[in-house]
Amino acid sequence: MKLALALIRLATLAGLAYGCAEHGDEHDHSVHLHKRLYPQTQLTPPSRPLEWGDLNIIHTTDSHGWLLGHQKTSFPEPNYSGDFGDFASFVAHMKEIALLKDVDLLLVDSGDLHDGTGLSDGFPPGGVDAHDTNQFIAQLPYDVMAIGNHELYIYANTYDMYTNFVPKLGDRYLSSNVNITVYDKNNNSVSVPVGSRYRKFKTLKGRQVTALGVLYDFTGNDVNTTVQKVENMVKEEWFADAIKDEPDFFLLAGHMPVSNDNWPLVFDAVRAVHPDTPIIILGGHTHIRDCNQPDGRSMALESGRYMETVGWMSVNLDTPDSTGNLTFTRRYLDPNRVTYQYHTLTSNWTFDTFQGKAITQGLLNLSEEYDLSDQYGVAPHDFTISQSPYPSDNSSLSLFIQQAAPIALTINNTRANVPNIMITNSGSQRFDIYSGPFTKNDQLTASPFADAFLYIPNVTFSVANQVLPALNGQGAEEKRGLENHMYGRGDVESVYRKWLAEMNMHAERELERRVAANGTLGYVTKDACPGVGDDTYHTPLPYYSSPDFIGSIPPSNVSDLDPVDLVFVDFIETQLLGILNTVQKAKNYTTADVLSYTPILSNAVLGLYAERAWNTTS
């Protein structure tokens, strides 16, 4: 078998080299994938084959609608150019390899299918976020899928999951500490789990598994949904019943980061009953690549965001009465066809499966149905969140709050002639903007949140001008409290950017080695697990920090005592009112002083701006 695999790998590498040279576009076009854009540059292949064990897991999390892959040509986007059809083909081939190796291979997701691209968010009026994209996700053979916080911001989304998505997965969809309120057959309102509390099942090789699906202590959920605190969940009778019997291993999936959160509460509760049973934790939420080992018989893995990472874990299990350390491996894969073909010993001629091609075509059809290629204008260059300093001409944060918002929000606005100061949280901008056509999909990708803009009229300019620096200049204790509040409501940008900064510092120390490996720009990961986690070597992206809150350029034609409109997004209303009452004492501002500034939501700002500033046809 080893000889056969080696010969297949040699043929595969030859195919990969040819495919890269020709932009990787020689696969079968029988389903008319002529609109599919492959990276127009050569990609770096993986550094080495995956290490397989008795038990192997492919892990996804925080996909946020990124099912057509990353199709821009500026790096690091080509690294993540594989679409969900490619991923489906990859999973199918990996399942075949697992059968050949006579080992188990599971597929697990840790939540957040909603909010992030036009495919999930660009639905026509009357639709539901991610309803259509979720139908493609349901086609894959997930063994366990956990609920995420983005499934809970809007009750209609949760209800759609409960009534349309969960029935397709059955007991494989887990919401251990999340309920939804619905009407029963007697028309009485009842609170029930969105999915199953836990799942017990056997792997193909007959191993017994007990799986949970836990959500972190999320506080931003909509009415008629309930998130139980993790500390209370582990005290429930059903939890004790779930972990009472010893399986071959526990699979603790959940939308909760593997570091600096409450996984130890769950882990310790299991360990109190089963001191030596292998435990696998598959987390999510903070959008980072991360790994740690709580003890010698466990591993916790978090696999990034936006289909920029496919996680891999393997372990060689031992007998039930063993107590020694287990051998785990983990890997962070770049989801693209070069990576997928390398690890599945295929080429462009043999990689695509019927299901994979059908999913890709279905996603392309959905993109057309949603008019996601509708163009607002042409971006003159790249605007990035963290690869350029803020403020600067290349900063997407500067673009949004200093250029786009002042124009878009004053369209047909009776307050347009009143001087203003506009403030939002920097986490409102979720993705970079790349040069070239700026489409409906790009708008929803860069700024997906449908936040409303509010304002307080007649705030003295000298006071209003202190609010932004005061928000960003709070003391350590206040800042920590604010970060905890924002984190509880689901804002993970500060965590993600802090991680980028740490990875950048680490990468700079290894820059010469990375450059010598001819790595393209991309993630450079340092975690707490042994060995190198990145599947493909990259040179680090430049990183610049940014404040938690960003604001428009203050008007220059007003005096300190002139009244202005203080404009802000509803997401930060509580924090802003608190700061406003700190920087002045003449008036105690409350929600009664807050008015609606415009019907335009934050996810429409960039498109309206592009129509005026980047529209080459006007």
Side-chain angles (χ1 to χ4, degrees):
M1 186 183 75
K2 290 182 179 179
L3 178 59
L5 290 174
L7 291 174
I8 294 172
R9 180 171 293 281
L10 286 173
T12 299
L13 289 174
L16 283 174
Y18 179 79
C20 289
E22 298 296 325
H23 312 315
D25 201 16
E26 293 75 34
H27 67 287
D28 182 8
H29 285 259
S30 61
V31 289
H32 308 295
L33 303 186
H34 57 279
K35 292 189 177 181
R36 174 70 183 281
L37 298 178
Y38 287 96
Q40 300 300 300
T41 186
Q42 183 169 332
L43 292 176
T44 305
S47 57
R48 69 273 192 209
L50 295 172
E51 297 177 61
W52 288 73
D54 302 324
L55 171 66
N56 309 275
I57 298 175
I58 296 172
H59 180 230
T60 56
T61 187
D62 294 274
S63 54
H64 288 288
W66 282 89
L67 302 188
L68 268 178
H70 296 240
Q71 297 187 358
K72 302 295 184 177
T73 57
S74 297
F75 271 96
E77 292 298 276
N79 298 335
Y80 325 125
S81 54
D83 67 27
F84 206 68
D86 296 329
F87 180 65
S89 295
F90 171 68
V91 170
H93 287 299
M94 293 293 279
K95 289 282 189 181
E96 292 176 355
I97 294 174
L99 287 174
L100 183 65
K101 291 178 174 290
D102 196 31
V103 295
D104 277 320
L105 175 62
L106 301 182
L107 179 62
V108 179
D109 184 88
S110 293
D112 269 9
L113 310 182
H114 294 75
D115 302 327
T117 74
L119 280 175
S120 55
D121 307 355
F123 52 89
V128 178
D129 190 290
H131 172 84
D132 292 324
T133 47
N134 284 349
Q135 311 312 306
F136 297 101
I137 293 174
Q139 294 181 34
L140 267 69
Y142 278 100
D143 296 281
V144 168
M145 179 175 285
I147 196 168
N149 63 294
H150 278 263
E151 277 70 84
L152 300 171
Y153 280 113
I154 300 174
Y155 178 80
N157 297 345
T158 315
Y159 187 74
D160 183 67
M161 295 289 288
Y162 176 73
T163 56
N164 293 305
F165 185 74
V166 173
K168 291 181 173 65
L169 270 71
D171 66 351
R172 295 177 291 146
Y173 191 82
L174 304 182
S175 64
S176 297
N177 59 330
V178 180
N179 276 25
I180 182 173
T181 299
V182 296
Y183 288 106
D184 65 13
K185 61 182 180 180
N186 297 319
N187 210 33
N188 297 317
S189 62
V190 292
S191 180
V192 297
V194 178
S196 300
R197 295 281 190 222
Y198 58 91
R199 183 187 184 210
K200 295 189 176 186
F201 65 100
K202 276 188 177 182
T203 67
L204 191 63
K205 300 301 297 177
R207 295 182 174 94
Q208 296 281 358
V209 187
T210 296
L212 298 172
V214 185
L215 178 63
Y216 84 106
D217 291 347
F218 176 51
T219 60
N221 53 300
D222 203 358
V223 294
N224 293 321
T225 66
T226 305
V227 180
Q228 184 182 35
K229 286 184 176 294
V230 176
E231 63 179 312
N232 295 327
M233 182 200 74
V234 297
K235 300 172 185 177
E236 292 282 355
E237 184 176 345
W238 70 260
F239 181 86
D241 289 340
I243 68 170
K244 178 175 58 176
D245 298 325
E246 183 177 18
D248 289 299
F249 64 93
F250 284 93
L251 178 59
L252 308 182
H255 200 71
M256 183 160 60
V258 298
S259 300
N260 304 315
D261 211 302
N262 284 326
W263 275 122
L265 294 176
V266 188
F267 180 86
D268 292 344
V270 175
R271 272 286 174 259
V273 182
H274 303 287
D276 301 310
T277 308
I279 297 177
I280 291 168
I281 298 175
L282 297 169
H285 182 55
T286 48
H287 296 177
I288 71 174
R289 295 178 170 186
D290 196 14
C291 179
N292 61 68
Q293 291 192 260
D295 63 22
R297 296 180 65 79
S298 64
M299 178 173 274
L301 180 71
E302 186 174 351
S303 302
R305 63 167 199 176
Y306 302 168
M307 292 305 292
E308 294 172 353
T309 304
V310 169
W312 170 264
M313 182 190 292
S314 70
V315 59
N316 287 313
L317 298 173
D318 49 19
T319 57
D321 56 347
S322 299
T323 61
N325 291 347
L326 296 174
T327 301
F328 287 88
T329 74
R330 58 76 182 83
R331 195 81 63 82
Y332 307 109
L333 280 63
D334 291 349
N336 60 61
R337 290 173 67 90
V338 170
T339 295
Y340 289 155
Q341 291 168 19
Y342 177 91
H343 288 307
T344 57
L345 312 176
T346 58
S347 69
N348 277 328
W349 292 272
T350 60
F351 174 70
D352 295 290
T353 64
F354 178 82
Q355 181 195 42
K357 290 191 290 186
I359 287 176
T360 297
Q361 188 62 56
L363 291 168
L364 290 170
N365 294 342
L366 184 61
S367 177
E368 290 186 5
E369 180 183 338
Y370 284 4
D371 298 322
L372 296 183
S373 60
D374 282 1
Q375 185 172 314
Y376 296 114
V378 178
H381 55 80
D382 292 352
F383 297 87
T384 63
I385 293 175
S386 59
Q387 296 178 49
S388 303
Y390 169 82
S392 73
D393 291 340
N394 297 325
S395 167
S396 64
L397 302 180
S398 296
L399 172 70
F400 181 85
I401 198 62
Q402 296 181 350
Q403 298 182 47
I407 290 178
L409 300 186
T410 54
I411 296 173
N412 297 325
N413 192 333
T414 58
R415 308 290 297 182
N417 294 324
V418 179
N420 62 63
I421 289 178
M422 298 179 174
I423 299 174
T424 188
N425 56 309
S426 59
S428 66
Q429 303 310 293
R430 292 266 283 195
F431 206 72
D432 300 332
I433 297 169
Y434 294 99
S435 62
F438 184 77
T439 64
K440 178 182 177 182
N441 185 61
D442 295 323
Q443 172 189 249
L444 294 172
T445 296
S447 189
F449 298 122
D451 293 331
F453 284 92
L454 310 174
Y455 81 108
I456 300 174
N458 301 318
V459 179
T460 302
F461 173 66
S462 62
V463 172
N465 207 27
Q466 296 178 60
V467 172
L468 178 62
L471 279 168
N472 285 320
Q474 297 176 86
E477 185 174 346
E478 291 82 1
K479 192 175 181 66
R480 186 163 49 249
L482 174 61
E483 287 180 351
N484 290 339
H485 175 81
M486 301 286 277
Y487 178 83
R489 295 189 61 192
D491 189 340
V492 299
E493 281 301 297
S494 61
V495 179
Y496 175 69
R497 293 176 193 174
K498 186 180 297 184
W499 175 75
L500 285 180
E502 292 172 355
M503 294 304 101
N504 190 58
M505 290 177 59
H506 166 73
E508 286 178 349
R509 293 193 292 268
E510 296 191 350
L511 184 58
E512 290 185 6
R513 180 176 70 82
R514 298 281 178 163
V515 171
N518 295 317
T520 53
L521 291 172
Y523 286 127
V524 179
T525 311
K526 173 66 175 177
D527 58 31
C529 289
V532 177
D534 290 329
D535 187 50
T536 301
Y537 290 136
H538 292 295
T539 53
L541 292 162
Y543 176 79
Y544 295 89
S545 62
S546 57
D548 294 330
F549 299 91
I550 54 178
S552 59
I553 298 172
S556 58
N557 58 343
V558 298
S559 67
D560 284 348
L561 298 180
D562 286 340
V564 299
D565 287 342
L566 182 58
V567 184
F568 52 93
V569 291
D570 57 353
F571 189 76
I572 66 171
E573 179 179 4
T574 301
Q575 294 76 42
L576 186 134
L577 285 172
I579 288 294
L580 183 56
N581 289 324
T582 299
V583 298
Q584 59 80 45
K585 298 299 181 182
K587 174 179 171 59
N588 182 49
Y589 287 93
T590 69
T591 55
D593 300 297
V594 178
L595 304 172
S596 173
Y597 188 69
T598 173
I600 295 170
L601 301 178
S602 58
N603 60 3
V605 166
L606 290 170
L608 291 169
Y609 172 77
E611 286 179 338
R612 287 154 179 78
W614 296 344
N615 197 331
T616 57
T617 61
S618 61

